[in-house]
Amino acid sequence: MTTPEPEPLPDATGHFGRFGGRFLPEALIAPLDELTEAWRSARADDGFRGELDRMLREYAGAPSLLYDATRLSDVAGARILLKREDLNHTGAHKVRNVLGQALLTKSMGKPRVIAETGAGQHGVAAATACAYLDLECVVYMGEIDTQRQALNVVRMRMLGAEVIPVKSGSRTLKDAINEALRDWVTNVDHTHYLLGTAAGAHPFPAMVRDFCRGIGDEARAQSLELLGRLPDAACACVGGGSNAIGLFTAFVPDRDVQLWGFEPGGDGFETGRHAATITQGDVGVLHGARSFLLQDKDGQTIESHSISAGLDYPGVGPEHAYLAETGRARYRPVSDADAMAAFSLLSRTEGIIPAIESAHAVAGALDLAKELSASMSDPVILVCLSGRGDKDMDTAATWFGFAGEEGDDHE
Amino acid sequence: MSRIGDSFARVRADGRALLVGYLPAGFPSYAGCIDALRAMVDGGVELIEVGFPYSDPVMDGPTIQAAAERALAGGLRTHDVLRTVEAAAELAPTVVMTYWNPIERYGVDEFARDLAAAGGSGLITPDLIPDEAAEWVAASDEQGLDRIFLVSPSSTDRRIALTARACRGFLYAASVMGVTGARAQPSRQAAALVGRVRAATDLPVGLGLGVSNGAQAAEVAGYADAVIVGSAFVRRLLDAPDADMGVRAVEALAEDLAGGVRRELPAAPTG
C-alpha cells in the first residue's frame, strides 16, 4: 500500500473550508481532543498501522478485488470497473472503519463502544469488530428501524451487542445519533463513540475518511496495474459519505479523474421525499458539523426518504460539502426507480446483487457512461460497489413484485 | 451593565444566589408557556431562560425532549420564540437557550437584532463553543447582547479560561457529564468545577443540570451565583392533569427553589 501523503484538509480545527468544525456541547470537546490526539499518534505508529493492515488483510479480506464488469460494460457503452467492497467481511466497506476505530478504542484503553445504526449495517459491522476485539458494544437504533430491519437486530445480538431501540423524535437514524451522543457525553470516560460515517464533529470526518481511504488507494493502484492508466471517472453513492470519501481521497490530486457522488433522489424532489442533501439541501449545522442538510425554514431537520435505508440521512459529511462547493467532485441525485433498475441490471448481467446503496452508484455510472462516451474515446468508469444486497431482499421482493409469489423456485 | 449584570449585582449584595427558570417556548402551548413563566416569576424566579425547541436536542434528556417535541408538533416557529421572549422580558430579564442551527438559519445578525428588539438579554448556546462563534460574538457585540457559553467537568483549565473570556453576563457550568434532567443530588464534580471557574474569572457562575428542589437549590447556592432549573419545571407541566394545575405546580416549585437560594447554609468553599 502507498504511504498516505499528508492531508491539507481539514485544518487544525477540523474545517474543510467553511464546513466541518465542532458544534457539540463543551463537555465533549475534551474527549474529542483526546480522540484527535489518539488518532494522530496511531497514524504515526507503525505498530498500530501494521496491526490494522493485518486485520484488514487476514480478517476483512482487503484488498478487495477490482473487477472488470464486461457484460455490464456492454450494456453501458463504457468500460466499468467495480471495486468489490461487497466481498469484504460483513459485506460492505464499513468493516474498514469499524476495525480502525475499534482498534483505536483498544489503544485508548476504553472497554466500551457505542454506535448508531439506521438499516443496521453499521451496527452489525460495529458489533462484529467489538466481538473480534473483545469490546462491549451498545447500538442505538431508531425504533422504527428495529422493526423494519429485524434481521439485523438479531445479527447484532448474535454478535453479543446490546441493541437499544430509540423512541424519541422521528425514531430513525438521526434520533439514534442523538441518543448515542447523549450516551457518549454521560459515559465518555470509558466509552468510544464509533460513528459510522465520515460526518460529525472533528476528528470524525477526517478519521473515518482515513480508515476508509484504502478503497481508493487500492483501486488507484489496481487501475494502474490493469489499465496502465487511471480511470476517467470514479463514482460512489453518498449518504453520510464514507465509501465515497474513501474512494475519492486517493484521486483528489488526479485532476483528470472526475469524481462523482450519487445521492438518494428518492421519489423525486417535487415530492419532498428524498435524501439528496447536497443537491437539494442548504448549509447548516447538524450532529456536530457545518455541512449541507435537509431543513425547514426554521432550521428544524426534515426527515429524509430513500429506498435505501443506508442512504436515508438528512445530513452529509462536511468534506463532501467542500468538494461540492469547490467543484472538485460533482453530485447528482439518483431516484429510487433508477437505483432499482440498476440493481436488477447488475444482478442479471454480472451475477452480482449489490446493496441498494451501491446500486445508486451503478445507476449514476450508467448515465455518466453515455455522457463520457460522447466526449471521449473508450472511457473507463470506476464504481465503488460498497456493499452486497443480501440485506435488501425484502425491499427488492416488494419493489419487483416477487413478494407472495409461490413456486417459482422450481422453475 | 446589562439587565443580567444588574440582577447578579443585586443578589451578590444580598449574599445569595439568583434563581433561573427554564421552559421551552410553545410548551405546553404558546399561551400556556407564558402563563407558566408568569407563575415562575410570581414564585420567585428572577431570570428566565426561554428554550428554543429543536428537532435534534443532543444535550437534553427525555423530559425536555418531550416538551420540545410537543412544542414543534404544535407548530412553533422562530417568530413564536421571539414573541415569547417579548412577553417574558416584561416579567424578568430573559435569555434564550438554543441549539445553533435555528439561529444560523434565521441569520445570526437578524436574530441578534430581533432578539434585542424583543427585549431579550442574550443567548445560552449549548452546542456552540467560542471556537466556532465568531459571527455570534460580532452580532452580540453589535446589539449589546449577553453571550452565555457552557463549561463542563471535562473542560480543561485552558478551555475554561477561553470560554470565560468569550462570555458576557454569566457563565453556565454544567454540573455533571450528561444531559439535562433531574438527579437525586447535584454531583460532587459541580462544586469543584465552579471552583475552577472562579480561578479563571470574576464573571458570575450559574450551575445547571439536575437541580429539582429547594434543598438542592440551597446546596448549589452555597457555591454558585445562580441556580438553573429546567427539567423539574417541565416535569410539573407534563405531569399536571390540566393547565391550571400545571401553572400552580410551577409556581409552587419556584417558591420552594426561591426559598432554597435564600437559605442560610454552613459556609461552603467558593474556590
Side-chain angles (χ1 to χ4, degrees), chain A residues 317-328:
Chain A
E319 191 165 7
H320 285 296
Y322 175 78
L323 291 172
E325 194 162 80
T326 57
R328 178 61 191 96

Side-chain angles (χ1 to χ4, degrees), chain A residues 284-298:
Chain A
V285 167
L286 177 67
H287 291 146
R290 181 177 285 117
S291 186
F292 288 98
L293 62 124
L294 303 181
Q295 56 180 327
D296 70 12
K297 290 193 170 93
D298 290 328

Side-chain angles (χ1 to χ4, degrees), chain B residues 6 22 27 32 53 75-76 86 116 129 133 142 160 181 187 189 218 232 237 240 244 249:
Chain B
D6 292 340
Y22 165 98
F27 171 78
L76 177 107
E86 203 168 340
I129 56 174
E142 172 83 24
I160 288 174
S187 84
Q189 295 171 301
L237 292 172
D244 279 354

Side-chain angles (χ1 to χ4, degrees), chain B residues 92-154:
Chain B
T94 299
V95 294
V96 173
M97 180 145 186
T98 182
Y99 293 91
W100 191 241
N101 196 54
I103 306 306
E104 197 160 290
R105 182 66 161 165
Y106 192 89
V108 178
D109 288 341
E110 290 78 2
F111 193 86
R113 178 197 66 207
D114 292 353
L115 178 65
S121 297
L123 289 185
I124 302 174
T125 50
D127 66 348
L128 182 72
I129 56 174
D131 320 51
E132 300 282 358
E135 202 178 350
W136 165 233
V137 167
S140 52
D141 282 347
E142 172 83 24
Q143 298 293 340
L145 293 167
D146 286 327
R147 293 186 292 268
I148 299 103
F149 294 104
L150 281 72
V151 294
S152 93
S154 66

